[in-house]
């Protein structure tokens, strides 16, 4: 905890240009959003991690070592992020509405992997969908299309 606080203050004292040197990649931005939902219920299940890696591999045509690096980076960024804006901004810049809906659909699939939807998972997905500029009808459409049948 103290390390996170120290890192925060160090970043505040660093000139803006230095903070901006490392450009956030689209792959990492998407993965951070997915990790947020994975972590929302307090557990990182192996099935969720396998599904996440499969999605990233398919979405970005990456090799296993690249996927592991992106997931590790995304988890670190997720642990230190105060909001989702920097990640959703990157997705909004590069993805069409259909592609953003696909990402939100995958957020729903990740949330349901353990067989139940935690309230916090649903809240995070709603927040991300709003930041990705999905209309309410598109949000509901992605939820219905990706909710497992009982």
């Amino acid at each position: 905890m103290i390390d996170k606080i120290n890192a925060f203050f160090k970043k505040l004292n660093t000139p803006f240009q230095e903070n901006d040197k490392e450009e956030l990649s689209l792959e990492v931005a998407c993965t951070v959003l997915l990790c947020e939902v994975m972590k929302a219920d307090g557990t990182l299940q192996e099935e969720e991690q396998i599904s996440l890696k499969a999605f990233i591999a398919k979405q970005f045509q990456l090799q296993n070592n690249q996927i592991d690096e992106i997931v590790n980076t995304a988890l670190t960024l997720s642990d230190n992020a105060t909001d989702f804006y920097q990640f959703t901004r990157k997705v909004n810049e590069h993805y069409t509405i259909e592609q953003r809906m696909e990402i939100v659909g995958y957020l729903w699939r990740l949330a349901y992997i353990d067989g139940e939807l935690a309230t916090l998972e649903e809240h995070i997905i709603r927040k991300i969908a709003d930041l990705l500029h999905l209309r309410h009808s598109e949000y509901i459409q992605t939820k219905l299309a990706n909710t497992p049948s009982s």
Side-chain angles (χ1 to χ4, degrees), residues 10-148:
K10 183 177 179 185
K11 186 174 181 179
L12 284 179
N13 290 327
T14 305
F16 180 73
Q17 294 79 11
E18 279 186 45
N19 285 338
D20 232 20
K21 279 184 184 173
E22 282 189 38
E23 179 69 22
L24 181 67
S25 74
L26 180 60
E27 296 86 354
V28 171
C30 286
T31 305
V32 169
L33 298 175
L34 295 164
C35 287
E36 286 291 333
V37 171
M38 255 181 23
K39 295 178 357 181
D41 62 4
T43 60
L44 283 174
Q45 296 180 354
E46 185 176 345
E47 191 176 349
E48 289 172 323
Q49 293 178 39
I50 291 168
S51 183
L52 171 70
K53 289 179 180 183
F55 177 77
I56 295 168
K58 179 184 171 200
Q59 185 76 16
F60 301 111
Q61 294 84 38
L62 299 172
Q63 302 299 318
N64 285 340
N65 61 333
Q66 294 169 308
I67 293 168
D68 290 338
E69 184 179 326
I70 287 171
V71 170
N72 290 336
T73 300
L75 285 169
T76 300
L77 287 172
S78 173
D79 287 343
N80 296 304
T82 56
D83 63 26
F84 304 131
Y85 178 74
Q86 64 181 318
F87 311 112
T88 56
R89 181 177 52 89
K90 179 62 83 173
V91 173
N92 286 331
E93 289 172 359
H94 295 279
Y95 277 3
T96 65
I97 191 69
E98 291 80 15
Q99 291 170 312
R100 288 180 269 153
M101 286 176 67
E102 183 181 339
I103 294 290
V104 173
Y106 202 76
L107 294 173
W108 286 114
R109 289 193 294 271
L110 269 177
Y112 279 111
I113 280 181
D114 61 1
E116 61 183 313
L117 178 66
T119 304
L120 188 54
E121 289 172 323
E122 186 168 14
H123 172 74
I124 288 172
I125 295 170
R126 177 72 230 192
K127 193 174 194 178
I128 291 170
D130 285 344
L131 289 168
L132 292 176
H133 309 297
L134 267 64
R135 293 186 304 262
H136 183 70
S137 60
E138 294 164 335
Y139 166 79
I140 295 299
Q141 180 183 345
T142 61
K143 182 178 183 178
L144 294 175
N146 294 285
T147 300

